[in-house]
Amino acid sequence: MAMIEFKNVQKYFGEFHALKNINLKVDTGEIIVVIGPSGSGKSTLIRTINGLETIQEGQLIVNNHDLASKQTNLNLIRKDVGMVFQHFNLYANKNILENVMLAPRIVLKRNEAENKKIALELLEKVGLADQTRKYPRQLSGGQQQRVAIARSLAMKPKCLLFDEPTSALDPEMIDDVLNVMKDIASDSDMTIVVVTHEMGFAKEVADRVIFMADGKILEDDSTAEFFTQPKNDRARRFLSKILEH
């Protein structure tokens, strides 16, 4: 059963055609990695899935809701579709524990004792159980990103989106975040869509790889097929460059 389905989706920013005739189906529980050169439409694609960007044409079904319909309540979508951003987006005036507890308290009206228990368990899961009283400014970028992941998981989403979660991090912090993401992928039945340049992560975790360029999906294949026998010339060129570095 599809958790996400794009049908002939078009997205424009003014005159700029950002997403061109996107057709893509992501089944429940699948782990998809979206890769491609800068400016290819990857982040725009992932931001349409929880309504941060609207589409102009076509149909986008997420968890049985049609995002193109004016009747769709985007807040209901976002309860089930979590997102981890490039730049963390934590609340600077709240400590780490409060950052993780806030959305379930407001949106889900979760019991306070249960909310705290879940938040503490998640902070332990991401390796930050000893940092609960600290504020975001007191943490490294990698630690902040792990808090952001815990915050998304606290809502118990059916689908989790990652928009280049390691691209703003110093190189030595990237592995800690990727390891948390690998743990989530291995012990969860969530649908996961990741936009990333981390090819090792893609090889290890993804069920499928989507390759985008110039606003189009040029290749959609199993991970093994994509990395051993990419069918598209642009994908082959991209891989040869990125795997050399």
Side-chain angles (χ1 to χ4, degrees):
M1 181 181 165
M3 169 63 73
I4 302 161
E5 188 166 8
F6 289 79
K7 299 178 181 178
N8 304 311
V9 166
Q10 314 285 348
K11 166 68 182 171
Y12 296 85
F13 293 106
E15 296 293 308
F16 178 65
H17 198 172
L19 295 178
K20 302 171 183 173
N21 199 39
I22 298 295
N23 288 282
L24 174 65
K25 185 186 284 189
V26 181
D27 287 336
T28 300
E30 252 193 315
I31 300 171
I32 304 294
V33 168
V34 184
I35 66 173
S38 296
S40 59
K42 307 182 299 294
S43 287
T44 302
L45 178 92
I46 206 170
R47 288 168 68 87
T48 62
I49 295 171
N50 68 347
L52 287 173
E53 297 289 356
T54 56
I55 63 172
Q56 277 75 46
E57 295 175 37
Q59 203 175 20
L60 175 50
I61 310 294
V62 178
N63 198 24
N64 297 318
H65 297 281
D66 183 355
L67 267 66
S69 168
K70 289 183 167 53
Q71 278 72 51
T72 297
N73 182 341
L74 287 177
N75 289 325
L76 282 179
I77 304 284
R78 290 173 186 149
K79 278 171 71 172
D80 288 327
V81 181
M83 186 149 187
V84 178
F85 298 90
Q86 196 172 341
H87 293 292
F88 328 135
N89 293 2
L90 299 176
Y91 292 101
N93 63 334
K94 296 190 182 297
N95 68 30
I96 298 318
L97 184 60
E98 276 294 313
N99 263 280
V100 178
M101 291 176 65
L102 188 62
R105 178 188 296 137
I106 294 170
V107 179
L108 303 180
K109 307 287 191 270
R110 185 178 286 158
N111 169 280
E112 197 68 3
E114 183 192 5
N115 195 20
K116 185 173 183 178
K117 179 175 179 286
I118 290 169
L120 289 170
E121 286 171 356
L122 288 170
L123 285 169
E124 184 165 358
K125 185 183 181 76
V126 300
L128 294 170
D130 58 343
Q131 307 288 332
T132 57
R133 295 182 182 276
K134 288 189 176 177
Y135 288 79
R137 67 181 178 277
Q138 297 173 291
L139 300 183
S140 70
Q143 289 173 319
Q144 289 186 61
Q145 191 60 291
R146 284 185 277 150
V147 173
I149 293 171
R151 179 181 60 181
S152 289
L153 291 173
M155 291 292 288
K156 298 195 172 178
K158 294 177 181 174
C159 177
L160 194 50
L161 312 174
F162 291 88
D163 186 9
E164 302 207 29
T166 59
S167 63
L169 302 180
D170 292 335
E172 65 269 20
M173 297 174 186
I174 289 173
D175 280 351
D176 288 341
V177 172
L178 291 178
N179 286 335
V180 167
M181 291 168 64
K182 287 174 191 174
D183 287 346
I184 293 165
S186 66
D187 67 7
S188 158
D189 57 0
M190 269 188 299
T191 308
I192 298 175
V193 183
V194 185
V195 172
T196 187
H197 289 293
E198 301 293 338
M199 295 300 108
F201 173 84
K203 285 180 180 177
E204 190 174 337
V205 171
D207 297 313
R208 273 161 61 208
V209 174
I210 310 298
F211 176 77
M212 293 186 70
D214 304 319
K216 300 175 185 173
I217 292 177
L218 298 185
E219 190 148 351
D220 175 354
D221 219 333
S222 73
T223 305
E225 281 284 315
F226 180 79
F227 281 106
T228 55
Q229 296 178 308
K231 299 176 182 67
N232 180 274
D233 283 345
R234 186 81 186 270
R236 279 196 290 272
R237 292 199 303 274
F238 176 82
L239 274 182
S240 68
K241 285 180 184 172
I242 204 162
L243 293 175
E244 282 170 9
H245 291 86

